[in-house]
Amino acid sequence: MFRYIVRRLLQMVLTFFGATFIVYALVFANQDDPIQALAGERPISASVRQALTERYHLDDPFLTQYWYYMKGLLTGDFGTSLNGRQIKDMMVQAWPVTIRLALLAIVIAATVAILAGVVSGIRRGSLFDNTTLVITLVLLSLPIVVLAPLAQLIFGIKLGWFPPTAGAHPSLFALLLPALVLGSTVLATELRVTRASVAENLRSDYVRTARAKGLSRQRVIGVHVLRNSLIPVVTLIGVDIGGLMSGAIITEGVFNIPGVGFNLFRGIRTEDGPLVVGFVSILVIVFLVVNLLVDLLYAALDPRIRYE
């Protein structure tokens, strides 16, 4: 196990440098005039433009800019946004909000998906199974750009069950509606994967053997079927955690949540390369760590899996 973890950590280091290099290259290639994009339609004097260009090394070659960025990143300095704010300070404000939102969304989605998926897998072809199929198809067909403002209008403005916007310092209740919207984007897929996995394992030889030994239905499903069925679901949940943190741009924009997605959208719109690359670099680390934890959970779910 120790050798496996060390090997994975080395792979993570290489992946991190490769991913940040690609992201920085894409941002560098997409930059037109970030100084003018930040100022909007206001004119910029030649002296101000020259000072900002030298400050952010915008006139240096790509590899030189990447070297300056990585040197600062490895020393804990994420640089300065084009609007003059320290990116580290912006992360301190944005990341706790997005982490709370993403964790709340994944807890809601995973709980509903696993419970409903297990019941659907056990009762294939029943009314409950057909109903969940219709609901998941509806959720899959509704893009987040439609679902978020629709939920805000119905449950936030018309019915008044939830706050229509979260604000700068949202409470857990204010994040509940955005979390429901964000969780619905992954709930349908997790539910269908759980249902298919449970249905497949119920037809396995070890289940028939367990029943032949006289084990109760609850023990067969809870101990044998569920543990083996959760392996693909855990993989999907691990990917979804990183995806929810990075894919909350629409949700945070609609509900006015100053999180990671909100800052990424603002950085892309203003061509703020340091801001975009800084936040994406942390997202890369989140993806890598979550994937490592998911792989380690496999051994806990299935004793046959061993990392040598």
Side-chain angles (χ1 to χ4, degrees):
M1 176 70 75
F2 177 76
R3 293 177 60 186
Y4 172 79
I5 295 177
V6 172
R7 187 169 66 250
R8 284 296 305 272
L9 290 176
L10 293 176
Q11 294 174 354
M12 288 168 59
V13 172
L14 296 176
T15 304
F16 173 76
F17 281 106
T20 53
F21 182 83
I22 293 174
V23 171
Y24 201 92
L26 292 174
V27 173
F28 180 86
N30 190 50
Q31 283 184 341
D32 182 19
D33 189 355
I35 298 176
Q36 188 61 55
L38 180 66
E41 298 182 356
R42 294 176 298 177
I44 300 178
S45 64
S47 59
V48 173
R49 178 180 292 275
Q50 181 65 27
L52 292 175
T53 300
E54 294 177 356
R55 178 180 179 182
Y56 295 102
H57 309 286
L58 298 178
D59 56 347
D60 291 335
F62 164 70
L63 292 178
T64 304
Q65 292 190 36
Y66 181 71
W67 163 251
Y68 279 120
Y69 170 72
M70 289 307 301
K71 184 172 66 173
L73 184 63
L74 294 177
T75 57
D77 182 13
F78 289 89
T80 306
S81 173
L82 293 182
N83 59 15
R85 295 185 60 188
Q86 289 292 323
I87 297 178
K88 183 187 296 185
D89 296 336
M90 300 174 69
M91 288 183 177
V92 170
Q93 296 177 359
W95 270 106
V97 178
T98 296
I99 290 175
R100 290 170 60 197
L101 176 63
L103 290 181
L104 186 59
I106 200 65
V107 167
I108 295 173
T111 303
V112 175
I114 292 175
L115 292 177
V118 170
V119 176
S120 296
I122 296 173
R123 301 179 180 178
R124 298 188 304 274
S126 64
L127 177 62
F128 182 84
D129 185 28
N130 293 328
T131 303
T132 56
L133 175 61
V134 173
I135 294 175
T136 53
L137 290 177
V138 172
L139 291 177
L140 289 173
S141 62
L142 282 177
I144 190 68
V145 70
V146 174
L147 188 60
L150 188 63
Q152 183 188 48
L153 176 64
I154 296 176
F155 300 105
I157 298 176
K158 297 294 185 180
L159 298 178
W161 292 354
F162 302 95
T165 58
H169 303 284
S171 62
L172 195 62
F173 180 71
L175 292 175
L176 185 57
L177 181 59
L180 289 171
V181 172
L182 193 59
S184 65
T185 60
V186 299
L187 185 149
T189 306
E190 292 177 3
L191 194 154
R192 301 313 299 173
V193 170
T194 305
R195 189 259 186 198
S197 184
V198 169
E200 179 183 359
N201 281 287
L202 283 174
R203 297 191 295 266
S204 301
D205 293 337
Y206 71 87
V207 173
R208 287 193 291 268
T209 303
R211 288 173 176 171
K213 290 182 177 180
L215 296 180
S216 64
R217 179 180 176 87
Q218 291 79 7
R219 183 171 178 80
V220 170
I221 295 175
V223 176
H224 298 280
V225 175
L226 187 58
R227 287 184 64 178
N228 289 279
S229 301
L230 282 180
I231 292 179
V233 181
V234 167
T235 304
L236 191 60
I237 291 175
V239 176
D240 288 340
I241 290 176
L244 291 178
M245 291 186 181
S246 61
I249 294 178
I250 302 297
T251 305
E252 291 185 355
V254 170
F255 292 96
N256 193 27
I257 303 173
V260 173
F262 185 86
N263 283 277
L264 277 175
F265 176 73
R266 183 173 59 184
I268 294 171
R269 185 183 58 189
T270 59
E271 300 182 18
D272 195 339
L275 177 63
V276 174
V277 179
F279 274 92
V280 172
S281 298
I282 301 299
L283 286 173
V284 171
I285 297 176
V286 171
F287 268 103
L288 294 175
V289 172
V290 169
N291 284 330
L292 176 61
L293 294 178
V294 168
D295 288 344
L296 296 178
L297 279 176
Y298 288 164
L301 293 173
D302 192 344
R304 296 171 298 179
I305 299 176
R306 289 292 180 266
Y307 297 113
E308 300 295 345

